[in-house]
Amino acid sequence: MIILTSAEFEGRPSGAQSPHRSAYYIMRQFEKLELDVKLSSFEFKRGFFETGTGHNIVATKPCTLEQCQPAIIFTAHYDHLGGNGYRHYPGANDNATGVAVMMDIARRLNNVEFERDLVFVATDAEEKGLHGAKHFVSQLGKVPVSMNINLDMLNIQKRNTLYALASRDFKPMQEQIESHFGTQCVRLNLYFSSKRMARRLNAPQIDWLRASDHYPFHRAKIPFIYFGSGVDKHHHSMDDSLDKINLEKLSQVSQSITGLVRSLATTSVSDTS
């Protein structure tokens, strides 16, 4: 968190031909866990006449069995708004929190063997139109995928509540999902309707289904759970800084989601339908 939000990382801008230094930092953290780490670059439209280059980091904890179940894919975008020579947008909640939790989940599960691949994708160019997730999904081909877990803005605020939007495939698993929250300070409000979530958060202008990297997975008919903290008054401002993040609560969020992943990794959405 400290490094990702630092002035040295310049607000983690995207679009350059070469990967930003933040991408290399994230790659090194995954490499320390001895995951299979790859850089996946792609082109995306930038306005009417220009293109930019994005750079996803894909880290895989492979299943070592002869027959493996479909993969679980985690996403958290690492890009933010950049800055200028004097000031930068730290992007602490959006989305250094998601990246930090994703890396922490990978660390917590590093010595646990599952019957499926766990794929951790730090996506780029999310702020410019979900381009990193769109590219990743377009490259899946016939690779079997069980679900996407998308982490975007996890600094829980009022009432210690974390919000989740899930595809309807997860409805039979609602009790299983919710059971991993509430034992600590973190409560979970789980929704299966973007409109209902928007009403609950008093944010009718936000389409939570299309708001982050889970949407390209939804379009590809891959079940998803999106975790977020809801509306943040510091969103896309220079006040979205490290001092606003409750690191103790963020650790509890990571622990709760990790427990859920352990549970989900031993089942699949299709098992409940």
Side-chain angles (χ1 to χ4, degrees):
M1 283 289 299
I2 295 173
I3 295 173
L4 287 171
T5 59
S6 67
E8 177 191 358
F9 278 17
E10 308 163 316
R12 307 186 303 279
S14 64
Q17 282 274 325
S18 299
H20 188 261
R21 67 188 69 185
S22 53
Y24 291 115
Y25 167 75
I26 295 166
M27 289 180 70
R28 287 195 299 273
Q29 304 316 301
F30 282 131
E31 286 168 350
K32 288 177 183 177
L33 299 175
E34 299 184 345
L35 301 182
D36 178 9
V37 183
K38 296 178 181 177
L39 189 70
S40 176
S41 299
F42 58 92
E43 299 294 315
F44 63 92
K45 288 186 178 180
R46 205 172 180 178
F48 288 107
F49 305 109
E50 296 183 10
T51 60
T53 305
H55 310 277
N56 289 342
I57 301 105
V58 182
T60 303
K61 176 180 171 56
C63 167
T64 56
L65 301 178
E66 222 173 278
Q67 285 192 319
C68 297
Q69 299 297 315
I72 295 178
I73 298 173
F74 301 83
T75 47
H77 76 91
Y78 71 93
D79 65 297
H80 195 55
L81 304 181
N84 54 43
Y86 303 98
R87 302 180 70 189
H88 73 287
Y89 291 85
N93 192 22
D94 183 18
N95 183 36
T97 55
V99 174
V101 167
M102 183 170 68
M103 292 192 296
D104 188 52
I105 291 171
R107 179 187 64 79
R108 291 173 185 263
L109 298 178
N110 194 36
N111 295 317
V112 183
E113 294 300 323
F114 296 108
E115 296 182 357
R116 62 181 81 239
D117 288 354
L118 301 184
V119 184
F120 302 90
V121 188
T123 59
D124 196 7
E126 188 270 357
E127 299 285 3
K128 300 182 185 301
L130 314 183
H131 294 295
K134 289 175 181 176
H135 173 74
F136 179 84
V137 171
S138 75
Q139 300 300 300
L140 281 173
K142 295 183 178 179
V143 174
V145 177
S146 173
M147 68 189 76
N148 165 238
I149 297 176
N150 184 35
L151 310 170
D152 193 352
M153 298 175 60
L154 299 177
N155 185 40
I156 59 175
Q157 300 166 43
K158 295 179 182 178
R159 302 178 184 174
N160 295 330
T161 302
L162 184 69
Y163 297 91
L165 177 67
S167 55
R168 295 184 185 277
D169 309 71
F170 283 101
K171 265 203 164 182
M173 304 171 69
Q174 182 170 357
E175 187 175 336
Q176 178 184 350
I177 294 168
E178 292 176 337
S179 69
H180 295 277
F181 300 84
T183 55
Q184 302 182 63
C185 293
V186 181
R187 298 190 311 127
L188 181 71
N189 280 6
L190 175 61
Y191 298 91
F192 301 97
S193 163
S194 176
K195 290 182 179 179
R196 186 169 296 177
M197 182 170 170
R199 284 197 300 270
R200 176 65 180 82
L201 289 168
N202 195 27
Q205 75 282 7
I206 300 177
D207 184 344
W208 295 99
L209 178 61
R210 293 172 171 80
S212 187
D213 281 336
H214 51 281
Y215 184 56
F217 290 89
H218 169 74
R219 289 287 304 272
K221 302 188 185 310
I222 295 172
F224 71 87
I225 309 176
Y226 153 58
F227 290 100
S229 57
V231 179
D232 184 348
K233 65 180 180 180
H234 302 300
H235 183 238
H236 285 187
S237 78
M238 291 186 177
D239 290 328
D240 181 11
S241 50
L242 184 63
D243 61 295
K244 309 295 192 309
I245 306 300
N246 189 314
L247 296 176
E248 182 180 351
K249 290 182 182 178
L250 190 66
S251 177
Q252 292 169 359
V253 167
S254 182
Q255 184 175 335
S256 295
I257 296 177
T258 301
L260 172 62
V261 171
R262 283 175 174 265
S263 174
L264 293 176
T266 57
T267 61
S268 68
V269 180
S270 59
D271 290 340
T272 65
S273 57

